[in-house]
Amino acid sequence: MRLGLNLLCATGHVGAQDRAVCERIKAVGYDLVEVPVFEGDADHFRAVGAMLDAVGLARTNCAIVPLPDADPTSADDAVRQRGLAHLDWLVDCASALGSESIGGPFHAPLGHFTGAGPTEEERARGIAAHRRMAAQLPDGMVLSLEALNRFETHFLNTMDDAFAYAEDVSHAAFKIMPDTFHMNIEERDPIAATAKIAAHTGVFHVSENDRGIPGRGHVDFVGHFRALKAGGWDGIVVIEAFGSALPELAAATRVWRPLFPDLETLITEAHDTIRQAWDKA
């Protein structure tokens, strides 16, 4: 297992100013960081990649569909074309960054609902968009599409949904990003859900039930890791924790209170907890 930390705990737009944080993450013992790709261009992320190379950290990245008017699943051709262009932009930026995986809910706009689950037509348009996206990736990069709980999206919510979707995309570079926070809400048996999706797992997100420091809540990380190992999975685990320091992110994730005392505590305690949980599993 290689362990990473999602940099959204510190910033929404990584740059040279974040080198000290990345150096601390490396010193604690992480193998990689997950870089948010929400704005910027390929040149910016090429510079971020060079900075991370100098620090000695590999990287994945996380991404979203930010607005309903750039939805790759839309029936409106103009909207769908803007959505596909957004996915193309993600591939360009991730390639410049040197990312191993494009992760996150880059399937449908966050917080945008139709009042029902996805239609077969929406789902078919998503499958086509993600198969097209996977075909563009450089060698060695994968997609790790994240299912979210029903309060954040209607498109993919459960590991059953995600498994069927991955089967239908049917591309070697298309994977799923299970997330323990969302599974804690949506799955009757989160460990069984992890076991089911292990064969299609790209990056695995560990996040506590309150999105704070892993190990301080009730998510059974050892159980999840045992399920992954039983499925023969030994890949990238990324810790995702959100705080209240970034107003836009706090609003998007509904974090109204501090979930960790400071960044140093999160970086060190989460690292030790997850390394120990993996070893115990």
Side-chain angles (χ1 to χ4, degrees), residues 16-99:
Q17 70 277 5
D18 301 301
R19 178 164 181 153
V21 171
C22 292
E23 289 175 338
R24 181 57 186 151
I25 290 168
K26 172 67 175 179
V28 168
Y30 289 87
D31 303 297
L32 64 138
V33 288
E34 189 166 82
V35 177
V37 175
F38 298 161
E39 58 180 314
D41 57 21
D43 287 343
H44 171 79
F45 288 105
R46 192 170 292 108
V48 173
M51 180 266 285
L52 294 172
D53 283 341
V55 172
L57 286 168
R59 74 241 38 157
T60 60
N61 70 276
C62 57
I64 60 173
V65 174
L67 298 170
D69 69 353
D71 180 354
T73 72
S74 175
D76 184 298
D77 186 64
V79 172
R80 186 169 64 258
Q81 292 305 315
R82 286 193 292 271
L84 294 176
H86 175 71
L87 299 184
D88 293 345
W89 171 81
L90 288 177
V91 173
D92 289 345
C93 291
S95 299
L97 178 65
S99 180

Side-chain angles (χ1 to χ4, degrees), residues 68-164:
D69 69 353
D71 180 354
T73 72
S74 175
D76 184 298
D77 186 64
V79 172
R80 186 169 64 258
Q81 292 305 315
R82 286 193 292 271
L84 294 176
H86 175 71
L87 299 184
D88 293 345
W89 171 81
L90 288 177
V91 173
D92 289 345
C93 291
S95 299
L97 178 65
S99 180
E100 297 183 32
S101 164
I102 302 174
F106 49 91
H107 42 68
L110 290 176
H112 179 70
F113 299 96
T114 63
T119 65
E120 285 302 313
E121 293 77 13
E122 277 182 290
R123 191 174 179 278
R125 289 189 289 268
I127 288 166
H130 292 128
R131 188 181 294 136
R132 172 183 177 274
M133 189 181 181
Q136 298 177 57
L137 300 182
D139 290 345
M141 187 188 295
V142 299
L143 302 178
S144 298
L145 190 68
E146 184 175 16
L148 304 182
N149 70 76
R150 79 193 83 162
F151 307 107
E152 296 183 37
T153 186
H154 72 291
F155 194 77
L156 283 180
N157 300 131
T158 69
M159 291 302 100
D160 282 344
D161 295 338
F163 184 92

Side-chain angles (χ1 to χ4, degrees), residues 83-250:
L84 294 176
H86 175 71
L87 299 184
D88 293 345
W89 171 81
L90 288 177
V91 173
D92 289 345
C93 291
S95 299
L97 178 65
S99 180
E100 297 183 32
S101 164
I102 302 174
F106 49 91
H107 42 68
L110 290 176
H112 179 70
F113 299 96
T114 63
T119 65
E120 285 302 313
E121 293 77 13
E122 277 182 290
R123 191 174 179 278
R125 289 189 289 268
I127 288 166
H130 292 128
R131 188 181 294 136
R132 172 183 177 274
M133 189 181 181
Q136 298 177 57
L137 300 182
D139 290 345
M141 187 188 295
V142 299
L143 302 178
S144 298
L145 190 68
E146 184 175 16
L148 304 182
N149 70 76
R150 79 193 83 162
F151 307 107
E152 296 183 37
T153 186
H154 72 291
F155 194 77
L156 283 180
N157 300 131
T158 69
M159 291 302 100
D160 282 344
D161 295 338
F163 184 92
Y165 195 81
E167 291 281 299
D168 288 342
V169 173
S170 188
H171 192 288
F174 183 84
K175 306 291 183 182
I176 296 298
M177 175 184 277
D179 184 299
T180 58
F181 171 81
H182 299 292
M183 284 192 281
N184 180 65
I185 295 171
E186 291 294 343
E187 305 293 346
R188 293 176 180 174
D189 185 341
I191 307 305
T194 290
K196 174 163 189 173
I197 204 66
H200 285 304
T201 294
V203 171
F204 189 84
H205 256 187
V206 297
S207 188
E208 193 50 270
N209 65 282
D210 66 349
R211 292 191 185 264
I213 299 176
R216 294 196 179 190
H218 64 240
V219 172
D220 180 5
F221 296 111
V222 173
H224 282 288
F225 293 159
R226 283 178 178 154
L228 288 172
K229 288 185 175 185
W233 188 90
D234 186 12
I236 294 173
V237 170
V238 170
I239 295 165
E240 184 180 55
F242 297 136
S244 57
L246 302 173
E248 289 186 3
L249 181 61

